[in-house]
């Protein structure tokens, strides 16, 4: 009986097996739906609270009934900051940016371009999911800095070498911030623009528009290159956070013809991950930072650099690009006109910036400057300190009878039109070709200069070795050397300033770099007018002085001619740099006949220590015997001149015209 019941049950189950299978399948389906819903809810919660850029989270997935662990999708693995610096500014910016990125809990690496081999490593960034940032400075004549030279050379060759292919860096995401000076119009931020273009040519993708920092405070959009960088850094960090969340850039209305045709087209034209798109975060960003490679973006929109273009379609594509370029030029023309009117309005309102930015003020103060107003300064010379102790004075005491402890070294303009390789201020002062800053009154400058000078002298009261009589004399300055730094003749009120010096019974020695011939002609009487003659040929002058003016050589010659017309004591100052300008004796003699100075000071260059702004070393400093030999050979070429005296400690000799080099009585008259 029992056996019969068991078999009856089995037969019943078999006959109703379809219902059983359906019930089991229905149960499994409900279970799967519940698991899927739970996982999705958990995933959304983690995405809203966590950072998808890091590996901090995991999600559970069920495979064959078992839970497994799988890493989340990583949108940004880290940031690599490449810098090419000459004076240290780009390096400082790179470190500051790295600290900001670290605060976002992202890995960051700061790399000098000089220590990086792009041939071996750069292609790895196409799959690394890193963001590459390039902070690059433009150096002399639009060239990259020494540390970035090889990187730029390799990148340029790769961009123009068919063997690499146009998609060599496809997948690399980057941003560029260039450092330059708009005073150098022809070479402003050339390196940053080139790197941006070469990366684009190799199919790398910009994550944001290239930005350009300007050392010229008069033209900088934010008042200084530091402020330019801070403004860009804020936008970069915001963009980086958006990328970490996996967000794609929304359209800003800057697609072709300013309008998107469709959502699909919008995504294609404006997405950050689409190759070569010129990106604008908003209208303000467009105003603040210059865009780049627009023509290339239009070209891609028409056909795409990665797509195959039929030869028959090439004509229409070129027509499209030309038309887009014409439209852009018209728009830029309107924008340029409006900006011109806007700037003109600002100038009319007198909204000029101060020459000394906060960063510059800090740097100059550390060097011992006492800054006056917005563009002037005074500093105590080491020879002043020496003579206070009863020791020797500088060469001006030996040559002209100037007492060093009663000499005030000052300048009414910290700006200069040159960036000389031997600049003893290591180019911390601003540069410019014309006065574009706020201007302080000469009365205020002189008053504060005297007060600051006296305060610095007071610090020596009671110091061991300081002579009491000389300390008292030093409190009343009798001479002002307008040669501290910069170009004093640029100051619009220089004539009034010199006149005030003379009214206070203070003699004046003014030094100019021979780039302002009109100002020399218009300059009123000074006790002694100097012109720096740092080289005797166009090529060597460009190499040594690195002038900002395009017509620097003509300005140089015109300045010497203007000097010959001055009815006062004039001086040539020659600075000898070994292996740079010591083999040009005949050319120097020709320049002397052009300017007809009363005196010629020949001095060996002073080595001011290692500087990233110059490659001079102690090897470029001539021995005193070499300077003496140079002067003797030069004197043989200029028969109207003779060697007058020397100051060996300063490695300096004086050549005087025979009309002023006479008996001792006459010499003393000259030297007062």
């Amino acid at each position: 009986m029992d056996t019969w019941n068991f078999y009856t049950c089995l037969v019943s189950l078999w006959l109703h097996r379809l219902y059983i299978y359906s019930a089991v399948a229905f149960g499994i389906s409900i279970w799967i739906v519940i698991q899927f819903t739970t996982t999705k809810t958990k995933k959304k919660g983690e995405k809203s609270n966590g950072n998808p850029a890091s590996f901090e989270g995991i999600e559970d997935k069920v495979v064959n009934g078992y839970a497994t662990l799988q890493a989340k999708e990583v949108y940004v693995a880290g940031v690599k900051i490449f810098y090419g610096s000459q004076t240290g500014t780009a390096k400082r910016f790179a470190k500051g940016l790295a600290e900001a990125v670290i605060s976002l809990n992202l890995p960051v690496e700061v790399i000098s371009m000089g220590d990086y081999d792009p041939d071996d490593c750069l292609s790895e960034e196409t799959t690394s999911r890193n963001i590459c940032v390039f902070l690059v400075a433009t150096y002399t004549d639009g060239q990259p800095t020494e540390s970035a030279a090889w990187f730029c050379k390799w990148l340029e060759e790769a961009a123009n070498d068919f063997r690499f292919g146009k998609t060599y860096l496809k997948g690399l995401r980057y941003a560029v911030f260039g450092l330059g000076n708009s005073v150098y119009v022809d070479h402003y931020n050339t390196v940053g623009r080139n790197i941006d273009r070469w990366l684009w040519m190799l199919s790398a993708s910009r994550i944001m528009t290239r930005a350009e920092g300007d050392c010229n405070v008069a033209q900088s959009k934010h008042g200084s290159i530091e402020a330019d960088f801070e403004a860009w850094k804020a936008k970069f960090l915001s963009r980086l956070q958006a990328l970490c969340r996996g967000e794609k850039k929304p359209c800003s209305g800057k697609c072709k013809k300013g309008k998107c045709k469709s959502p699909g087209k919008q995504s294609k034209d404006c997405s950050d991950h689409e190759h070569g798109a010129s990106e604008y975060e908003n209208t303000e960003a467009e105003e603040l930072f210059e865009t780049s490679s627009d023509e290339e973006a239009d070209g891609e929109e028409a056909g795409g650099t990665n797509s195959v273009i039929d030869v028959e379609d090439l004509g229409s594509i070129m027509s499209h690009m030309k038309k887009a370029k014409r439209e852009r030029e018209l728009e830029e023309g309107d924008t340029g006109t409006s900006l011109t009117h806007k700037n003109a309005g600002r100038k009319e309102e007198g909204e000029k910036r101060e020459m000394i930015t906060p960063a510059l003020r800090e740097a100059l103060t550390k060097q011992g400057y006492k800054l006056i107003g917005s563009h002037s300064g005074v500093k105590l010379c080491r020879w002043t300190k020496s003579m206070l102790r009863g020791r020797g004075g500088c060469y001006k005491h030996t040559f002209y009878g100037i007492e060093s402890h009663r000499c005030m070294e000052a300048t009414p303009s910290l700006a200069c039109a040159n960036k000389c390789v031997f600049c003893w201020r290591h180019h911390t002062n601003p540069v410019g070709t014309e006065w574009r800053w706020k201007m302080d009154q000469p009365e205020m400058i002189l008053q504060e200069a005297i007060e600051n000078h006296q305060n610095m002298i007071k610090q020596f009261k009671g110091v061991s070795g300081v002579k009491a009589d000389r300390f008292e004399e030093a409190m009343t300055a009798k001479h002002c050397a307008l040669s501290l730094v910069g170009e004093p003749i640029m100051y619009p009120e220089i004539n009034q300033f010199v006149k005030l010096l003379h009214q206070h019974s203070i003699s004046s020695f003014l030094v100019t770099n021979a780039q302002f011939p009109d100002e020399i002609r218009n300059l009123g009487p000074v006790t002694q007018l100097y012109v720096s003659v740092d080289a005797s040929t166009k090529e060597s002058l460009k190499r040594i002085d690195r002038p900002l003016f395009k017509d620097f050589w003509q300005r140089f010659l015109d300045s010497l001619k203007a000097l010959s017309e001055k009815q006062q004591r004039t001086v040539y100052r020659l600075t000898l740099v070994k292996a740079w300008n010591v083999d040009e004796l005949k050319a120097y003699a020709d320049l002397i006949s052009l300017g007809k100075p009363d005196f010629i000071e020949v001095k060996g260059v002073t080595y001011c220590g290692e500087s990233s702004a110059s490659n001079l070393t102690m090897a470029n400093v001539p021995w005193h015997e070499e300077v003496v030999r140079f002067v003797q050979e030069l004197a043989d070429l200029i028969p109207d001149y003779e060697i007058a005296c020397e100051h060996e400690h300063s490695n300096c000799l004086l050549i005087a015209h025979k009309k002023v080099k006479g008996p001792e009585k006459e010499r003393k008259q000259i030297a007062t």
Side-chain angles (χ1 to χ4, degrees), residues 239-255:
R239 185 77 192 101
L240 184 61
Q241 289 176 305
L243 289 174
C244 289
R245 294 190 296 267
E247 295 180 7
K248 291 189 176 183
K249 187 170 172 45
C251 182
S252 58
K254 297 295 180 181
C255 298

Side-chain angles (χ1 to χ4, degrees), residues 285-336:
E286 183 182 7
E287 293 176 355
L288 296 180
F289 302 117
E290 180 180 343
T291 58
S292 60
S293 302
D294 293 328
E295 290 87 350
E296 290 125 348
D298 286 335
E300 183 183 346
E301 188 176 328
T305 54
N306 299 326
S307 62
V308 178
I309 302 174
D310 196 302
V311 176
E312 296 177 355
D313 299 330
L314 197 57
S316 60
I317 292 175
M318 294 302 295
S319 299
H320 163 79
M321 293 179 66
K322 290 179 180 179
K323 183 178 180 181
K325 187 174 181 180
R326 283 195 300 269
E327 291 175 355
R328 187 178 305 106
E329 288 173 350
L330 290 174
E331 291 176 1
E332 290 176 352
D334 294 338
T335 304

Side-chain angles (χ1 to χ4, degrees), residues 9 121 127 138 369 446 453 477 488 529 540 570 578 592 620 666:
C9 289
C121 305
T127 56
T138 299
Y369 285 85
L446 179 58
H453 179 74
L529 178 59
S540 58
T570 56
K578 199 172 181 180
I592 291 170
N620 298 114
E666 191 175 342

Side-chain angles (χ1 to χ4, degrees), residues 35 61 63 137-138 169 205 241 243 269 283 308 324 379 381 415 417 434 480 500 523 528 558 573:
Q35 291 294 325
K61 288 192 177 181
V63 179
T138 299
L169 295 181
S205 300
Q241 289 176 305
L243 289 174
D269 286 345
T283 305
V308 178
K379 190 179 182 183
C381 175
E434 61 181 331
C480 181
L500 289 171
L523 184 67
Q528 191 155 284
D558 289 344
R573 173 180 285 179

